[in-house]
Amino acid sequence: MARCFSAIHARLGNKILGVNSPHQHSPRFSFPPAKSGDSPDLATASSRRDARAGKPGTSRLASFFATNSLCEAKPLDCSPTVAGRAVRNAAWPVALVLVIHRVLVVALNGTPTDDFTTVYSAVRRMLDGQAVYEQAYNHVDPLYLYNPGATALLSPMGLIDDFATARTLFIVCNALAVVLAMAVMTRTVGHKLDGWLWPASLAVAFSTESVTNTLAFTNINGLLLLALSLFLWAFIRGNEEKSTSLRLLAGVVIGLAIVIKPQFAPLLALAAVRLDWRAFLGGLGIPVGLNLLAVAFIPATDGYMEKLVPYLAITRDYANSSWAGVHAYFEFGDAFYWTVWLSAAFLVGATLLGLIRFSRSDFRLWALSTSGVIFVGIFFLSSLGQQYYSMWLFPLMFTAVFSASIFRSWPAWLAAVLYLAPLSWFSNLHPDAGRWMSFFGGTVGWLLLIVVAAATTAGWWRRSVQQDRAASAGGTVSSCGAARNDDV
């Protein structure tokens, strides 16, 4: 009688509340997933038919709770859960409003920092046959820092005579590039575009300091984010599917990115580790070829080597969040500077070497994690690190949907808040501390992420060694190459 009353009460409660979802199940119960190829609705109907037929091992309770179990941590084609649909429905309006606001209001309004005018003026000088690298290198205004190959690659924007039109088109192209980059990364980690991850990533991306200032300053980093995403997608898919065309595409894309920003060159280590010479040679050959070609027709390219390269060798003490920039700003002792620098360099190197162990067993995790560790090392250790470069860490952050990820721990997300959040720390009570935090909060975030990545990789390595020992002793071994973060 009690069980009958409970069943009637539950059914009436569900009807009153409008609940008819198999997702809302108690965590105490664990039921097998539906058969491969069965849809959730078919599986539910089958379970109910079995219950009515009196087959053993089934019940109305089981048929109600057994369907639509939570997806695995590395799903390729999982159906959206109730929570996933809720996130998707909430994220799309947020993403659309933020995209429109960042483009039509923030970017078109502009800021005192203007990166576009410098580039536009330089390519216009090139098209007019004037010297490109004649600049006031003792001034703090944005300088034209691109090599001759990049100048040739960017020259089409100079064909637009009207400055306002050229700037608006460049802003729109960068915004679309960020949108497409999030779509590419969503597919790279195995999620569908009609799920929750793409709109959620757009909402997060367009709320960050990196994307907001990239559009407001009107620089090219959004297009470079798309190039990074396409490279990782083509590199991963090309190696998984043994596709020559995709690996060639990866080489072309990373080569074009290297022409614009040489900071992308260390990503060729991914191709080198996998002995993927198609991607490696493409990434190396395109920058060399374009620069040799550009020297032949761009006037006064000797100014690049004679004036710009020496300027780039100087660590500036403004708009520079790298550790070298912190040193130049505060002018503290060299002993402390080199202690921190060498320690961080050791952690980055050890992390990259440790991740190689998983380049076969967890290829996507390895590729995405390695790219992020390379970039955060560049940002912190190089002579110039600007906080809006942090958008190139988005692929690493996408690994949070995997069962094992550097971003499956709260310190990693604390680091992300420090280098991505558009926060101003200026304080009337503590003006110096607030100003320093506003300038170098990203530096703290990068260093924290380096430490978290090293600790996480060390945990994976330890677990992997334990699995190898268990396997050699005839024990049970997990099928995952990398440990879950719960085990680290």
Side-chain angles (χ1 to χ4, degrees):
M1 178 65 70
R3 279 188 293 177
C4 181
F5 178 78
S6 298
I8 294 173
H9 182 271
R11 291 172 66 88
L12 287 175
N14 286 346
K15 288 183 178 295
I16 293 171
L17 295 176
V19 176
N20 189 24
S21 172
H23 299 284
Q24 299 173 356
H25 58 272
S26 168
R28 295 177 295 173
F29 296 98
S30 177
F31 295 93
K35 295 178 181 179
S36 176
D38 286 350
S39 68
D41 291 337
L42 290 177
T44 304
S46 176
S47 300
R48 289 174 178 172
R49 284 196 301 270
D50 290 346
R52 286 195 297 268
K55 294 183 180 180
T58 61
S59 67
R60 290 185 179 272
L61 184 64
S63 66
F64 184 77
F65 286 114
T67 58
N68 283 355
S69 59
L70 292 178
C71 300
E72 296 295 329
K74 282 189 176 180
L76 285 178
D77 294 304
C78 59
S79 301
T81 63
V82 170
R85 286 194 294 268
V87 172
R88 179 190 62 194
N89 294 339
W92 270 122
V94 175
L96 290 174
V97 169
L98 283 173
V99 171
I100 293 171
H101 177 264
R102 295 309 194 250
V103 173
L104 298 183
V105 179
V106 176
L108 292 184
N109 283 349
T111 65
T113 302
D114 178 14
D115 293 335
F116 181 77
T117 299
T118 302
V119 177
Y120 181 79
S121 300
V123 296
R124 291 284 294 182
R125 290 198 301 272
M126 186 209 78
L127 294 176
D128 293 338
Q130 302 174 13
V132 174
Y133 298 103
E134 292 297 329
Q135 306 176 96
Y137 289 95
N138 60 344
H139 206 279
V140 298
D141 284 343
L143 295 175
Y144 185 73
L145 305 178
Y146 295 108
N147 56 56
T151 305
L153 199 60
L154 296 171
S155 60
M157 79 168 64
L159 298 175
I160 303 174
D161 292 331
D162 184 68
F163 173 83
T165 301
R167 181 176 181 272
T168 300
L169 288 175
F170 197 69
I171 290 171
V172 172
C173 287
N174 268 280
L176 289 176
V178 175
V179 172
L180 292 175
M182 297 298 97
V184 172
M185 289 312 307
T186 297
R187 295 298 299 136
T188 301
V189 298
H191 279 246
K192 293 181 178 180
L193 296 183
D194 61 356
W196 64 270
L197 185 57
W198 186 29
S201 65
L202 286 175
V204 171
F206 278 86
S207 66
T208 62
E209 182 272 349
S210 297
V211 173
T212 301
N213 281 349
T214 286
L215 297 175
F217 299 166
T218 319
N219 58 48
I220 200 171
N221 291 329
L223 291 168
L224 290 173
L225 175 63
L226 177 58
L228 171 63
S229 302
L230 286 172
F231 163 70
L232 290 169
W233 171 80
F235 176 73
I236 291 170
R237 289 287 297 273
N239 279 271
E240 289 180 342
E241 300 176 5
K242 308 300 181 185
S243 171
T244 300
S245 59
L246 285 176
R247 285 182 281 185
L248 288 173
L249 175 62
V252 171
V253 172
I254 195 61
L256 293 174
I258 292 172
V259 173
I260 302 296
K261 290 283 188 182
Q263 291 99 318
F264 281 73
L267 292 181
L268 292 176
L270 293 170
V273 169
R274 293 288 294 188
L275 300 179
D276 186 350
W277 303 116
R278 296 173 182 84
F280 185 86
L281 293 177
L284 191 63
I286 288 178
V288 173
L290 273 177
N291 275 286
L292 291 177
L293 183 63
V295 169
F297 67 87
I298 294 180
T301 54
D302 53 346
Y304 176 75
M305 297 300 299
E306 295 175 359
K307 299 178 180 179
L308 184 55
V309 171
Y311 170 81
L312 293 174
I314 301 173
T315 300
R316 68 192 197 192
D317 59 357
Y318 63 94
N320 187 0
S321 298
S322 71
W323 182 236
V326 176
H327 183 226
Y329 184 88
F330 289 104
E331 297 182 340
F332 48 75
D334 289 344
F336 178 62
Y337 168 77
W338 284 110
T339 299
V340 174
W341 193 96
L342 291 173
S343 299
F346 172 79
L347 290 177
V348 171
T351 303
L352 293 174
L353 291 175
L355 287 171
I356 292 176
R357 184 181 183 91
F358 311 106
S359 61
R360 298 290 177 182
S361 58
D362 286 284
F363 180 64
R364 280 188 294 175
L365 174 66
W366 166 76
L368 297 175
S369 300
T370 299
S371 70
V373 173
I374 287 174
F375 271 127
V376 74
I378 292 172
F379 301 159
F380 186 81
L381 297 171
S382 67
S383 61
L384 177 61
Q386 294 181 296
Q387 192 169 337
Y388 53 60
Y389 291 165
S390 298
M391 68 167 64
W392 301 335
L393 297 175
F394 285 167
L396 171 61
M397 298 173 68
F398 266 88
T399 63
V401 301
F402 293 166
S403 60
S405 169
I406 292 170
F407 271 89
R408 291 296 292 270
S409 64
W410 68 263
W413 289 104
L414 173 59
V417 170
L418 290 173
Y419 62 69
L420 286 178
L423 301 176
S424 174
W425 295 90
F426 290 105
S427 168
N428 292 329
L429 296 177
H430 308 284
D432 290 337
R435 183 173 61 256
W436 298 338
M437 191 62 189
S438 295
F439 291 163
F440 302 114
T443 313
V444 177
W446 293 337
L447 180 59
L448 177 58
L449 184 59
I450 289 173
V451 174
V452 172
T456 304
T457 305
W460 291 346
W461 182 281
R462 176 178 57 82
R463 178 59 180 268
S464 180
V465 170
Q466 292 174 350
Q467 290 177 351
D468 290 345
R469 290 175 180 173
S472 62
T476 303
V477 186
S478 171
S479 59
C480 296
R484 293 177 59 91
N485 285 54
D486 295 342
D487 299 324
V488 175

